[in-house]
Amino acid sequence: MEDLHMIPNDKCRNVNESNLETKPGLLVINSYLNQINPDLKDVQSEISEVVGKQKSLIDAMLKENEELSYLLNESEVQDMFSSIKHCHGQLVELKKKLMFLHKKTMTLEKRANVLRVAKQREALQREHQKESMLVREQELISKQT
């Protein structure tokens, strides 16, 4: 396998015929490798560029993580987060109370409507009774005359 490694162009020219006879594929492989070598160099430069960009992004991310961890460790930030949690808990409780009050208000409004309808019905019945009493009185008065 070591014989198949790429041999530079200047060494390829110095290879004598006896060496070519013993290794006939070596010249073909070497010329093929020399043809694709520029493409490989381009790919290698692109890969090194991508790796460089990745390293710079990783460094930037690590710096941001350090800043964030520093900020999270500060007591002021911790106090702020605890006060936010406390306020959130209060808001949740307030929301529950408002929902309960809304539900209770709806039931009271329904009861008030039922009572209003009942009172209206009673008032109508009383009016009807008064009218019937007036009619009866007038009938009695007209019968007496």
Side-chain angles (χ1 to χ4, degrees), residues 3 25 63 78 84 103 111 137 145:
D3 294 337
K63 286 179 185 177
Q78 293 295 333
I84 288 172
K103 195 174 189 181
R111 282 182 64 193
E137 282 180 17
T145 48

Side-chain angles (χ1 to χ4, degrees), residues 35-46:
Q35 283 180 346
I36 64 168
N37 194 22
D39 293 336
L40 290 176
K41 286 183 181 179
D42 291 342
V43 170
Q44 187 176 9
S45 67
E46 289 175 5

Side-chain angles (χ1 to χ4, degrees), residues 25-85:
L26 186 61
L27 185 60
V28 173
I29 291 172
N30 194 23
S31 65
Y32 176 72
L33 288 176
N34 285 336
Q35 283 180 346
I36 64 168
N37 194 22
D39 293 336
L40 290 176
K41 286 183 181 179
D42 291 342
V43 170
Q44 187 176 9
S45 67
E46 289 175 5
I47 288 174
S48 63
E49 182 180 332
V50 168
V51 168
K53 287 181 182 179
Q54 282 180 340
K55 285 181 182 179
S56 65
L57 288 173
I58 288 172
D59 290 340
M61 186 178 65
L62 289 175
K63 286 179 185 177
E64 288 181 18
N65 283 344
E66 286 176 9
E67 289 176 9
L68 184 62
S69 65
Y70 173 73
L71 289 175
L72 287 177
N73 289 334
E74 286 189 16
S75 62
E76 292 177 9
V77 175
Q78 293 295 333
D79 293 341
M80 184 177 65
F81 276 121
S82 64
S83 67
I84 288 172
K85 286 180 183 177

Side-chain angles (χ1 to χ4, degrees), residues 70-121:
Y70 173 73
L71 289 175
L72 287 177
N73 289 334
E74 286 189 16
S75 62
E76 292 177 9
V77 175
Q78 293 295 333
D79 293 341
M80 184 177 65
F81 276 121
S82 64
S83 67
I84 288 172
K85 286 180 183 177
H86 177 70
C87 290
H88 179 69
Q90 285 180 338
L91 285 174
V92 168
E93 286 296 318
L94 187 60
K95 184 178 177 182
K96 286 179 183 177
K97 287 178 182 178
L98 286 174
M99 293 297 287
F100 175 74
L101 288 174
H102 176 71
K103 195 174 189 181
K104 200 168 192 177
T105 302
M106 296 310 268
T107 56
L108 288 174
E109 284 180 358
K110 286 179 184 177
R111 282 182 64 193
N113 281 336
V114 168
L115 287 174
R116 187 170 26 88
V117 168
K119 283 187 178 187
Q120 286 176 350
R121 211 178 287 141

